[in-house]
Amino acid sequence: MTITAPALVGRSWDDIKEGDSASITRVCTPNDLIVFAHASGNLNPVHIPGEAEQETGRLPVAPAMWCGSLFSAVFGNRLPGPGTVYHSQTLRFHNRVQAGEAVIATVTVREKLPGNMLVMDCRLEKENGALVADGTAEISPPQNRIVTDGVAIPELTLVPRGKFHRLLEACRDLPPMPTAIAAPTDENSLGGAWEATKEGLISPILVGPEAEIRAAAAKIGWDLAGVAIDPVGDAHDAAARAVCLVHEGRAEAVMKGNIHSDEVLRHVTKSDGGLRAGRRISHAFVLDIPGHEGLMIISDAAINILPDLMTKADIVQNAIDLARAIGIVEPRVGILSAVETINPAIPSTVDAAALAKMAERGQIKGGLVDGPLAMDNAVDLEAARTKGIHSMVAGRADVLIAPNLEAGNMLAKQLVFLSQADTGGIVLGAKVPVMLTSRADDEHARLMSSALAVLYGHWRRTGRSRLAEMGA
């Protein structure tokens, strides 16, 4: 996608008079500061959203040269316009600009000099008249008048993780969740546990070969002082021991480390000694998708391969419970298929219709459920309207239920790898939350999974959502 600016006019030296002036008004946004940090390489935390609040307790402020760059925008767009060449600039800075504040950049022609040179007065003010910066610049206008028919630039997409940050904030006042981490024997899995520990999300119990755990800790700089280690001889025994810690009352959650998901699930789901709680266990991805207003939940993309109708009912109920735990008061659940009409030749359409009716009759509670819906009319309101679908869910779905594991997995990974979505994942329906992150997941994904586990655990204990309580 591209953004097209309106036509611009570049005025030559003969078109400009002394005293001519032009201005632009610009709001300093958090995204401006992030883009400027990337472009300039200035990583001073006082200028970076999130970092500034954490390091200084104050809102981020714009770098002085971000303010100075606004004069360049006036020169290039307004006066003289396209074709302007900079020669020199001198500025004095008097005030700081915080994210969210509007400023007005004004340039005025002080003097026209021979040799196609202009001396410009520059002044940057806040809306209340407070002076931010002033000075002079020497520039050359274009040799000849230039008229553009619009300038097209690619759209810039940022991935600020803002929606996930709200989840972290909601966990701040909750006690750390005692968590058994099964085989955290590499830097990635142990690093994720460390990040969650530093954020106050979990109180870790490291389960696995102690020498391997300590070697991984040395590589990432974690001294493990005061951290509980439950040693087992082999990493493949760690999942069974982590489940035992839940039964012993020492752990309230399980996190997968450097072992395969199947090893954890085998012990979580077994009938004797596992963590079954009466409902079918399922997995949910929670995604922060750039350009999408809220968080999106996709289920099941990791556990149930070809779920039947009653398994899907449990998958839907588990996903609704998670959605409510993260502050979605009445989740809208779209049951996906290839089409939005019932066709007996496509069994997932029949299941979808049955699930919608089950929700209508109270067999599935706490959310609005509709299906079958194709992907377009589940998430895009205009697509739903075009196809004549009248529903409280169509075009507005918070939760997407895939017809099978293959479809769910491909959908979730497409959003991560092609749409740059951030993701966290959690196993639902067990006695305790289970963080079933991929061994390839980075520390942030593991941190987000920990936040989901804490909020889901709080909701199950109290029936209340921390985000709903905070009004987030």
Side-chain angles (χ1 to χ4, degrees), residues 269-302:
T269 61
K270 64 184 181 181
S271 300
D272 185 15
L275 299 178
R276 291 183 181 273
R279 192 187 294 169
R280 187 64 176 254
I281 290 172
S282 62
H283 180 272
F285 281 114
V286 180
L287 297 109
D288 183 349
I289 306 166
H292 188 73
E293 182 177 355
L295 292 169
M296 178 71 73
I297 297 174
I298 295 176
S299 190
D300 184 346

Side-chain angles (χ1 to χ4, degrees), residues 405-428:
L405 182 145
E406 293 169 303
N409 194 275
M410 285 186 279
L411 173 58
K413 289 181 178 177
Q414 179 269 325
L415 290 169
V416 171
F417 290 101
L418 293 182
S419 301
Q420 289 77 52
D422 266 337
T423 184
I426 186 173
V427 174
L428 308 164

Side-chain angles (χ1 to χ4, degrees), residues 190-202:
L190 190 64
W194 191 21
E195 290 299 318
T197 301
K198 288 189 291 185
E199 287 286 344
L201 299 172
I202 69 170

Side-chain angles (χ1 to χ4, degrees), residues 272-360:
D272 185 15
L275 299 178
R276 291 183 181 273
R279 192 187 294 169
R280 187 64 176 254
I281 290 172
S282 62
H283 180 272
F285 281 114
V286 180
L287 297 109
D288 183 349
I289 306 166
H292 188 73
E293 182 177 355
L295 292 169
M296 178 71 73
I297 297 174
I298 295 176
S299 190
D300 184 346
I303 295 179
N304 295 286
I305 299 172
L306 285 171
D308 60 20
L309 176 62
M310 298 313 294
T311 299
K312 287 181 180 179
D314 283 348
I315 291 171
V316 172
Q317 188 65 68
N318 287 340
I320 288 173
D321 291 350
L322 175 62
R324 294 178 66 191
I326 61 173
I328 304 174
V329 177
E330 190 174 38
R332 295 181 171 97
V333 182
I335 313 298
L336 295 181
S337 186
V339 295
E340 62 281 349
T341 54
I342 299 169
N343 183 345
I346 307 176
S348 60
T349 65
V350 180
D351 284 353
L355 291 167
K357 181 58 72 173
M358 290 171 74
E360 185 181 311

